[in-house]
Amino acid sequence: VDGFRKLKGSEGKFKEWLAKDEKGLLSLYEATHMAFNGEDILDELQSFATKTLESIFPHNITNPSFQKQIDFALRVPAWKCVPRSLARHSIDFYSMDSFHHEKLLAFAKLDFNIVQKFHQQELYEVSNWWRSIDVATKFPYARDRLMESYYCVNSMYFEPKYRSGRIIATKIFLMLAILDDTYDNFATYEEAHALTEAIERFLLHNPHMC
């Protein structure tokens, strides 16, 4: 953090050359979103970078690829974006760059499509399991949150090697959603109390499930 303080001049303002280095400023903007509470210099720098990028976009940027990057970053900073979604956008940005390497771009697209196929297969497997439970008949009051649950899990375990983790976590999310809707939309107070006691007894005799 102390290193960022050197970006300020003697009058307490950020040095003028920062605003002239658009790509460096965009990287700096992304970095400031990793700040912890109390790191005021990064909060100041984020405000400065945001205002400066907004002022130069889109009129003073001639590179279409960089225009897209700035627009996307101002709406969704990289660390707040789902990794696979960010990869898809990055491919688009790179393809628009006149200096892109064709073989590298082709490899990136191939990698994305292969991993996407893995995710489609996982979603197919979870969908079959979800249908086998017959939620629509047995739990008509419950929300169908299959896609939402898988998407949330995929944002945490996006690497191909975590296939089992994605499938298991998605099933847990779905069962918790049914349980939540049971409490909120279906069970009476007495029924909810009895269900809670049953869950507590189960966990008491199965501590490894906690």
Side-chain angles (χ1 to χ4, degrees):
V1 176
D2 291 336
F4 288 110
R5 299 187 190 282
K6 297 179 181 179
L7 299 176
K8 279 190 171 184
S10 56
E11 297 180 356
K13 296 182 179 180
F14 289 106
K15 296 178 179 179
E16 293 183 2
W17 60 266
L18 285 172
K20 298 178 181 179
D21 181 7
E22 292 91 353
K23 291 188 176 182
L25 188 64
L26 179 59
S27 297
L28 202 57
Y29 164 82
E30 294 283 14
T32 61
H33 285 87
M34 303 299 291
F36 289 96
N37 289 334
E39 294 180 335
D40 297 336
I41 182 62
L42 291 180
D43 293 336
E44 293 179 35
L45 194 52
Q46 183 180 132
S47 178
F48 167 79
T50 301
K51 291 179 181 178
T52 305
L53 288 171
E54 287 176 343
S55 68
I56 65 175
F57 174 81
H59 308 292
N60 297 328
I61 303 296
T62 57
N63 185 330
S65 173
F66 192 49
Q67 277 190 9
K68 292 285 187 180
Q69 289 181 57
I70 294 178
D71 180 46
F72 184 77
L74 289 174
R75 290 185 289 111
V76 188
W79 82 277
K80 293 182 179 180
C81 187
V82 176
R84 294 307 297 173
S85 177
L86 179 61
R88 180 65 181 83
H89 286 287
S90 296
I91 290 174
D92 285 343
F93 301 151
Y94 186 65
S95 66
M96 296 175 65
D97 195 321
S98 58
F99 296 101
H100 73 260
H101 193 288
E102 285 294 343
K103 289 186 178 180
L104 182 60
L105 179 61
F107 179 78
K109 291 180 178 179
L110 179 63
D111 173 76
F112 183 87
N113 290 334
I114 290 175
V115 175
Q116 184 182 55
K117 181 61 66 175
F118 289 158
H119 292 161
Q120 290 172 345
Q121 292 171 349
E122 294 162 9
L123 190 56
Y124 177 76
E125 180 176 334
V126 177
S127 296
N128 285 337
W129 168 82
W130 186 241
R131 283 194 296 270
S132 71
I133 298 177
D134 194 12
V135 176
T137 301
K138 296 178 180 178
F139 309 97
Y141 56 85
R143 293 164 292 175
D144 186 346
R145 305 181 69 179
L146 174 60
M147 291 299 298
E148 178 184 351
S149 298
Y150 182 79
Y151 187 79
C152 289
V153 170
N154 196 21
S155 68
M156 298 183 290
Y157 306 112
F158 61 91
E159 295 94 335
K161 62 181 179 180
Y162 295 129
R163 176 182 183 277
S164 296
R166 281 190 294 274
I167 292 175
I168 293 172
T170 300
K171 290 181 178 180
I172 291 174
F173 273 39
L174 289 169
M175 296 305 295
L176 289 175
I178 292 177
L179 190 61
D180 181 58
D181 288 339
T182 299
Y183 276 103
D184 291 343
N185 303 323
F186 185 75
T188 63
Y189 174 80
E190 291 75 16
E191 290 171 337
H193 184 69
L195 177 59
T196 301
E197 289 184 336
I199 294 174
E200 289 176 345
R201 286 196 303 271
F202 173 79
L203 294 177
L204 181 64
H205 293 89
N206 300 272
H208 62 282
M209 298 292 290
C210 298

